[in-house]
């Protein structure tokens, strides 16, 4: 099940726009209106790209969304996930939306329209309502075989929230990196809940180290963590700890029996008693089948990763922690929630956040290595990324990229080839960087000096005794 196309009449800054997500097809929706309302039986044109050759493994599809800030990247991602899962009674004010999926060599159009209308096409296409029951946000059964993982490491809040009181979303989609979502106001829930964020980061890394083979750990130059070390209980307020205690009561984790625990104090005593004489846990005693329950322990106890040389989690760079958390989340979802009948739609916003250019350069390669290493039986993985990294774009053919400008998809025909392209070309062409690739402050300073020396300007606001030293530090040929 692969997302091929999305069209929406109105959502935020996106109006009457379609977006192609698959390089194998090119779609165009011929929308027509009668008195301002979308007509019935508008045509959807689907052209197959017969020259397309995938450069990725058979079960992996990759699409990147690029454009300037404000071009609509995040809006498009939240429209996609929110339109399917978080649109009860159209609280998101989405007007006329449909997705086209290619499923078992058939095209299926899942629609959410104000009026009862159908989409027509010369290709055989099946029309299905996105929601079977809009009041309860019960979406089409087809989506139950497709798990959606939305990872957002950007600063601030998206207008897409999980519900701390509704557990249904965990079966079909999740927002990461947070684990739980506490109320941020009437009817809303926050994206990040601090206690679970720190705990979840470490729990995800545990998945990575248990499933990733040692060869890749060495090749990726990651610390060789061998044990978990207990440093005491986490500090939590009463509402937070009362909420979390329900996740651990009744379980048995690493020999700690919480089946008779009734209060947070019972949980705390059990953990402290266990670690009283031995504060370390060897990785070898941790079994993969127990990882999900062990991750709950991180919510209560301050547990640290350690190597034989004493290197811990916080000794890693921010970029390293980010990368292993990304991949740990992916492994956890695939191993805990995906089977051979399911596909995974993996959505990452601001993918380059905190990643050094070297990690950005290697991300696609590392991702493919990861999927192949863990030997998943997942039917298909569709990775959709939004961001500003030319290094990631240089690993993708332009047919795998949605170029956004003013909330519209720019035709790839107008763009230069991206696969293997140099960074300067990508910044100017794919990322719409204008006015050259030199920093604006340096450009203005150098231009003023040039114009003064060439006699175009008689005056300059730079002291004359500073002109020569500035010329000597310019990184490019000057005259």
């Amino acid at each position: 099940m692969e997302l091929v196309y999305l069209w929406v009449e109105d959502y935020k800054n996106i109006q009457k726009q379609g977006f192609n997500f698959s390089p194998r097809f090119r779609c165009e929706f011929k929308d027509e209106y009668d008195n301002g309302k979308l007509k019935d039986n508008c045509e959807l044109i689907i052209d197959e790209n017969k020259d397309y050759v995938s450069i990725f493994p058979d079960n992996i599809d990759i699409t990147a969304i690029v454009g300037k800030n404000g071009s609509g990247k995040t809006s498009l991602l939240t429209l996609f996930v929110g339109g399917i899962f978080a649109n009860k009674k159209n609280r998101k004010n989405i007007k006329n939306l449909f997705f086209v999926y290619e499923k078992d060599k058939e095209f299926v159009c899942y629609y959410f329209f104000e009026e009862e209308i159908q989409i027509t096409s010369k290709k055989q296409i099946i029309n299905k309502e996105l929601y079977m029951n809009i009041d309860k946000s019960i979406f089409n059964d087809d989506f139950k075989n497709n798990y959606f993982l939305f990872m957002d490491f950007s600063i601030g809040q998206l207008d897409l929230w999980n519900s701390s009181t509704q557990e249904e979303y965990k079966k079909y989609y999740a927002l990461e990196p947070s684990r739980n979502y506490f109320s941020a106001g009437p009817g809303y829930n926050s994206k990040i809940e601090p206690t679970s964020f720190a705990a979840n980061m470490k729990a995800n890394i545990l998945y990575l180290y248990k499933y990733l083979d040692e060869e890749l750990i060495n090749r990726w130059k990651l610390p060789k963590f061998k044990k978990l070390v207990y440093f005491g209980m986490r500090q939590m307020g009463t509402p937070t700890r009362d909420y979390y205690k329900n996740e651990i009561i009744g379980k048995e984790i690493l020999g700690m029996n919480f089946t008779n625990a009734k209060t947070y104090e019972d949980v705390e005593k059990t953990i402290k008693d266990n670690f009283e004489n031995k504060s370390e846990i060897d990785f070898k005693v941790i079994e993969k089948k127990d990882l999900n329950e062990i991750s709950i322990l991180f919510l209560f106890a301050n547990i640290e990763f350690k190597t034989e040389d004493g290197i811990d989690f916080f000794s890693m760079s921010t970029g390293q922690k980010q990368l292993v958390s990304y991949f740990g989340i992916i492994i956890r979802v695939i191993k805990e929630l995906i089977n051979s009948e399911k596909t995974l739609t993996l959505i990452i916003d601001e993918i380059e956040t905190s990643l050094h250019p070297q990690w950005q350069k290697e991300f696609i390669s590392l991702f493919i290595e990861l999927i192949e290493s863990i030997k998943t039986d997942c039917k298909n993985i569709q990775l959709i990324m939004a961001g500003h990294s030319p290094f990631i774009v240089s690993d993708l053919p332009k047919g795998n990229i949605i170029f956004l400008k003013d909330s519209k998809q720019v035709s790839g025909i107008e763009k230069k080839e991206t696969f293997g392209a140099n960074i300067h070309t990508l910044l100017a062409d794919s990322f719409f960087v204008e006015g050259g690739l030199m920093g604006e402050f340096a450009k203005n300073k150098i231009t003023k000096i040039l114009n003064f020396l060439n006699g175009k300007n008689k005056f300059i606001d730079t002291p004359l005794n500073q002109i020569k030293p500035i010329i000597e530090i310019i990184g490019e040929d000057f005259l």
Side-chain angles (χ1 to χ4, degrees), residues 16 41 138 168 183 209-210 221 266 270 292 307 316 323 338 343 355 367 383 399 405 410 415 417 427 440 446:
K16 299 177 182 178
N41 294 318
I138 299 176
E168 187 73 9
S183 178
Y209 274 87
K210 289 302 293 184
K221 299 179 180 177
D266 294 338
T270 301
N292 189 43
T307 67
M316 299 171 71
L323 188 73
I338 306 295
T343 60
L355 292 183
F367 173 77
L383 170 60
K405 189 173 184 179
V410 177
K415 313 303 291 181
E417 292 295 343
L427 285 171
E440 201 65 21
I446 293 169

Side-chain angles (χ1 to χ4, degrees), residues 232 313 327 329 353 369 436 445 456:
F313 172 75
F327 289 158
I329 290 168
T353 302
E369 282 186 339
K445 180 72 73 175
K456 290 183 179 179

Side-chain angles (χ1 to χ4, degrees), residues 21-85:
F21 283 82
S22 172
R24 297 190 296 130
F25 306 98
R26 275 294 172 264
C27 302
E28 183 181 1
F29 183 53
K30 298 292 186 179
D31 50 319
E32 298 180 14
Y33 300 86
D34 185 9
N35 292 325
K37 290 188 176 182
L38 187 65
K39 286 185 177 180
D40 192 12
N41 294 318
C42 290
E43 184 183 8
L44 174 65
I45 298 171
I46 304 175
D47 291 324
E48 184 176 358
N49 181 2
K50 298 186 182 297
D51 297 325
Y52 173 72
V53 177
S54 176
I55 60 174
F56 303 115
D58 291 340
N59 67 332
I60 297 176
D61 301 306
I62 302 178
T63 301
I65 304 171
V66 301
K68 291 182 177 180
N69 285 334
S71 61
K73 299 185 297 297
T74 299
S75 292
L76 180 55
L77 293 181
T78 54
L79 169 64
F80 174 44
V81 179
I84 297 176
F85 296 105

